[in-house]
Amino acid sequence: MLESQCFPLAGGKPMRLTFLGKGGSTVNDCPALYATDHGSYLIQGWQTGQPGTIEIPHLILGFAESRTFVGAPLTDTGRGTFRITGRPITDAETLDQLHLADDETAIEVPKTERTFYGATAAIQPLA
């Protein structure tokens, strides 16, 4: 079920979020992926001690909208999670509405359209 909520951004402009999915924890609604009306994704994940960088379970990326992907570099931790960096969400009014666990925060990252470049070249017979 998709839920839309309106969250204000810094500067007073509202950011409309659509909930896409969550998983990886039994605490609150976390981690989670939201689509924004700014053509981006808001990702809720575990704090890493580095501003703007969070850790998320691999499964969160499976909730991305059809024909899109998270347009930010991912670093595989080797334990079923990725580290990802984006614009920190610091607006208290938005953070208060996300049901963040004590060890979580949220970032905004680009939503990029997946492009199909065609099939691989036909295999040529060996002479």
Side-chain angles (χ1 to χ4, degrees):
M1 177 170 127
L2 297 179
E3 300 171 17
S4 291
Q5 301 177 14
C6 189
F7 299 126
L9 279 176
K13 294 183 180 181
M15 177 190 283
R16 192 155 226 25
L17 298 181
T18 302
F19 173 76
L20 298 175
K22 66 179 180 176
S25 175
T26 58
V27 178
N28 295 336
D29 295 328
C30 51
L33 180 66
Y34 297 85
T36 77
D37 64 342
H38 295 198
S40 60
Y41 284 120
L42 184 142
I43 306 176
Q44 176 180 337
W46 298 297
Q47 297 174 7
T48 62
Q50 298 173 325
T53 299
I54 60 173
E55 193 167 327
I56 59 170
H58 288 169
L59 68 89
I60 291 297
L61 300 179
F63 297 114
E65 294 176 331
S66 178
R67 299 182 184 203
T68 70
F69 63 95
V70 171
L74 301 163
T75 302
D76 196 325
T77 65
R79 58 178 181 267
T81 62
F82 291 115
R83 285 188 172 219
I84 184 169
T85 301
R87 184 184 71 81
I89 303 298
T90 57
D91 172 18
E93 197 170 335
T94 299
L95 293 173
D96 287 346
Q97 297 180 58
L98 286 176
H99 307 289
L100 295 169
D102 291 340
D103 63 344
E104 290 190 326
T105 192
I107 60 171
E108 183 180 17
V109 296
K111 177 178 16 174
T112 305
E113 186 174 336
R114 188 168 300 182
T115 305
F116 179 70
Y117 293 105
T120 59
I123 298 175
Q124 300 296 318
L126 296 173

